[in-house]
Amino acid sequence: MSTAVQHAPLGFGLMRLPQAGEQIDIEQTSRMVDAFLEAGFTYFDTAYVYNGSEDAARRALVERHPRDRYTLATKLNARVARDAQDARSQLEQSLARTGAGYFDYYLLHALQDSNVRQYDAWGLWDFVREQKAAGRIRRYGFSFHGTPALLDRLLTEHPDVDFVQLQINYADWDNPEVTSGANYEIARRHGKPVVIMEPVKGGALAAPPPQVRELFEAARPGASCASWALRFAASLDGVLAVLSGMSDTAQMQDNLATFAHFAPMDQGDRAVIAQAQQILARSAAIPCTGCGYCVEGCPRQIFIPKVFAAANKQLAQDDPAGAKEAYARAIDGRGRASDCIGCGQCEAACPQHLPVIEWLRKCADILE
């Protein structure tokens, strides 16, 4: 007889899975899935637009574990669809790719001020409600990268939303572009459980500037920088899951250790976080999470997140040699930062609302 799945606060984000060459490393991913489940965690998160991720979920999770041992979330992305029917067909394709039978959580993906009209015009809110009524979706929600005013409007217009997924981390809590803190407060005011994405800001908070690392080490010797970021997120009220996009077994083990005997942040920890926020506010680093949404459709084939990561080695870590080496890898077979023609498709796709064109020009000055 099956037992009900008990949700734990750590979620396994399947966006940045380990690679074997150009492909996802299914063997290592399977070991990570096994360790995650053995530790008592259940929440897995993928998306239609995560290249190879839904297939990896089938091979590493669905085909290897009973369906009642885990919960699976995926997402419908209108930005990549040709029309309403094409958008709706993503659910069928996601079910076929994963073999999961149904999704415990289904999200309208990456809603923000620039694209929300598409979801409205194509009737996608009604579509997910219909699919929930049909049992193919157990709960529906949306992931969000927009303004607090838009979030408040959406939750007012769609009070039956079961949950909302927000970008929340200590670096972005008061960021005027990301508005993590304000969006969290609105979700809670509407009584919605929150799934947290980017708690480690695409890995940036796992390797913050040296001043932040020294601050954390002095406060809790031996604790990883990633653990500070995860504990900040998981200490908030009303959190359904904190997603961590784990890219190798070592990251998985560190995350599991953080949650194995979870200790919410106390007043002293929050004071340390406040100091870290002040340091990061003065950082010259490009605040890119490496999501890659800007890459598809770039007419000059610039691998923008890798270019930014290379520049950050110099801007945030004062490592010009490492920056040049990383940049050489980033442009191998791809466009250079100086190849940007300023078309703007990257800025329209960026959930961080970064001035990507301006940053690419700065990267060209720094790295070329």
Side-chain angles (χ1 to χ4, degrees):
M1 182 176 177
S2 65
T3 57
V5 174
Q6 297 297 313
H7 298 293
L10 179 62
F12 190 169
L14 304 176
M15 181 182 185
R16 301 178 177 94
L17 292 171
Q19 300 288 304
E22 297 296 316
Q23 304 296 320
I24 292 173
D25 185 342
I26 297 298
E27 185 177 339
Q28 185 174 179
T29 300
S30 296
R31 291 196 299 269
M32 293 166 68
V33 164
D34 295 349
F36 186 78
L37 290 171
E38 287 166 10
F41 300 101
T42 62
Y43 194 108
F44 294 82
D45 172 89
T46 183
Y48 176 81
V49 296
Y50 297 168
N51 188 29
S53 177
E54 290 183 326
D55 180 70
R58 174 178 53 78
R59 297 171 64 190
L61 173 66
V62 176
E63 293 179 347
R64 301 177 60 252
H65 294 280
R67 185 64 181 87
D68 62 355
R69 282 206 63 200
Y70 60 86
T71 55
L72 184 60
T74 195
K75 312 177 189 77
L76 182 161
N77 192 305
R79 186 174 66 86
V80 301
R82 296 184 301 273
D83 51 36
Q85 187 55 43
D86 191 39
R88 293 173 182 229
S89 74
Q90 289 180 21
L91 175 58
E92 292 293 343
Q93 295 178 67
S94 292
L95 286 167
R97 288 174 179 174
T98 62
Y102 62 91
F103 291 112
D104 303 274
Y105 301 91
Y106 197 68
L107 299 89
L108 300 180
H109 195 180
L111 269 63
Q112 52 191 303
D113 298 64
S114 63
N115 68 14
V116 69
R117 290 180 182 176
Q118 198 68 72
Y119 289 89
D120 294 338
W122 286 351
L124 297 178
W125 298 96
D126 289 336
F127 172 69
V128 292
R129 291 187 185 100
E130 293 163 4
Q131 296 304 309
K132 180 180 176 181
R136 305 172 88 202
I137 299 168
R138 299 295 169 87
R139 303 167 189 85
Y140 97 89
F142 58 93
S143 63
F144 187 76
H145 293 283
T147 60
L150 176 60
L151 180 60
D152 188 44
R153 176 171 74 80
L154 292 178
L155 292 177
T156 300
E157 293 176 353
H158 306 285
D160 60 327
V161 162
D162 295 303
F163 67 103
V164 62
Q165 185 163 308
L166 301 174
Q167 176 171 325
I168 294 177
N169 57 67
Y170 68 80
D172 288 328
W173 190 253
D174 295 314
N175 183 325
E177 296 298 328
V178 182
T179 59
S180 282
N183 285 339
Y184 168 77
E185 294 298 338
I186 286 171
R188 296 306 298 144
R189 193 170 75 230
H190 283 269
K192 301 304 179 185
V194 175
V195 174
I196 292 178
M197 58 181 162
E198 303 291 1
V200 195
K201 200 172 172 67
L205 300 184
Q211 285 178 281
V212 175
R213 294 200 298 269
E214 292 164 7
L215 177 68
F216 287 161
E217 181 61 23
R220 285 182 177 265
S224 70
C225 294
S227 73
W228 279 88
L230 291 169
R231 288 179 59 237
F232 172 85
S235 295
L236 296 168
D237 292 332
V239 174
L240 176 64
V242 177
L243 301 177
S244 180
M246 295 169 271
S247 301
D248 57 48
T249 304
Q251 291 177 12
M252 169 67 73
Q253 293 302 329
D254 181 64
N255 287 186
L256 293 180
T258 298
F259 282 87
H261 304 287
F262 182 76
M265 286 200 156
D266 58 24
Q267 189 171 358
D269 292 329
R270 295 188 184 282
V272 173
I273 287 291
Q275 293 180 63
Q277 288 170 325
Q278 292 174 6
I279 295 169
L280 289 171
R282 299 191 298 269
S283 173
I286 305 170
C288 171
T289 66
C291 70
Y293 295 164
C294 58
V295 176
E296 185 177 356
C298 174
R300 304 315 294 261
Q301 296 187 305
I302 304 168
F303 207 124
I304 298 167
K306 288 188 177 181
V307 171
F308 287 173
N312 279 343
K313 287 184 176 293
Q314 180 165 333
L315 294 170
Q317 301 172 23
D318 193 25
D319 181 11
K324 291 291 178 67
E325 182 180 335
Y327 184 58
R329 292 195 298 270
I331 64 173
D332 184 18
R334 311 279 307 202
R336 298 161 62 89
S338 58
D339 291 335
C340 173
I341 59 174
C343 69
Q345 76 83 29
C346 52
E347 295 188 354
C350 178
Q352 310 304 315
H353 314 293
L354 296 180
V356 179
I357 297 166
E358 179 183 342
W359 276 117
L360 283 172
R361 291 183 184 130
K362 291 181 180 179
C363 288
D365 292 340
I366 293 168
L367 300 168
E368 295 179 16

